[in-house]
Amino acid sequence: MSSTVADLGPARTPRLAIKVAYFLSDPGPNAGFTMFAPGSHTSTGPVAVPQGDIDPPGAITPDIGPYDVVLFENRTWHAGGLNRSGRTRLAVMMQYGYRWLNAVDDPVPGLLDRPDLSAIVRQLLGARDRDPDGSVAREGSGARPLTDWWEHLSTAPAR
């Protein structure tokens, strides 16, 4: 998403995705977990770091424990803190956004080829919608596993 900000500028970058940080290890003191600048998602300019500082003013590390989850949107300033604890910190970060966004990472080789994965799981893991000839489908013309699943469960239209 940082390329979006570089291309459009902070004032014109829309909310495109929700990010999830799932912390797997006990943060403990000085573990340097992810820092956030509250309110930075509404900024119309770049987040400034004063000369001589390493973080923007007001940046915080949330009071989190092991197995806690932090949700934030793509425009929120975030960065890993300094890990001075001497222990390995473990976290999983995922991004959920419009399916026309390019994937941030490649899935594990061969993962999407597993026969035991449903169409919904494949879509959540980043499989591209394909036309019958194998080409990438245009938006709205390809597979719709999540939409079809929702419409099977609810009379409310999928959004």
Side-chain angles (χ1 to χ4, degrees), residues 22-104:
Y22 184 67
F23 298 96
L24 302 174
S25 53
D26 188 352
N30 301 314
F33 272 7
T34 306
M35 300 179 66
F36 299 91
S40 58
H41 66 290
T42 62
S43 176
T44 57
V47 173
V49 177
Q51 189 169 345
D53 288 346
I54 59 172
D55 301 313
I60 63 164
T61 298
D63 184 17
I64 55 175
Y67 312 114
D68 280 350
V69 174
V70 177
L71 296 151
F72 59 101
E73 68 159 271
N74 59 283
R75 298 176 294 181
T76 304
W77 180 93
H78 60 286
L82 283 171
N83 183 0
R84 296 180 177 160
S85 70
R87 295 172 309 175
T88 301
R89 62 181 180 206
L90 298 173
V92 174
M93 299 208 58
M94 296 174 275
Q95 175 174 288
Y96 297 93
Y98 295 104
R99 58 188 189 155
W100 43 261
L101 290 172
N102 276 339
V104 175

Side-chain angles (χ1 to χ4, degrees), residues 103-126:
V104 175
D105 293 311
D106 291 327
V108 173
L111 176 64
L112 296 175
D113 298 326
R114 288 180 37 181
D116 60 325
L117 298 181
S118 69
I120 291 172
V121 171
R122 280 186 174 76
Q123 182 177 346
L124 289 172
L125 288 172

Side-chain angles (χ1 to χ4, degrees), residues 3-22:
S3 59
T4 305
V5 175
D7 288 347
L8 300 178
R12 292 186 301 274
T13 299
R15 180 178 48 235
L16 294 171
I18 298 297
K19 295 185 177 193
V20 179
Y22 184 67

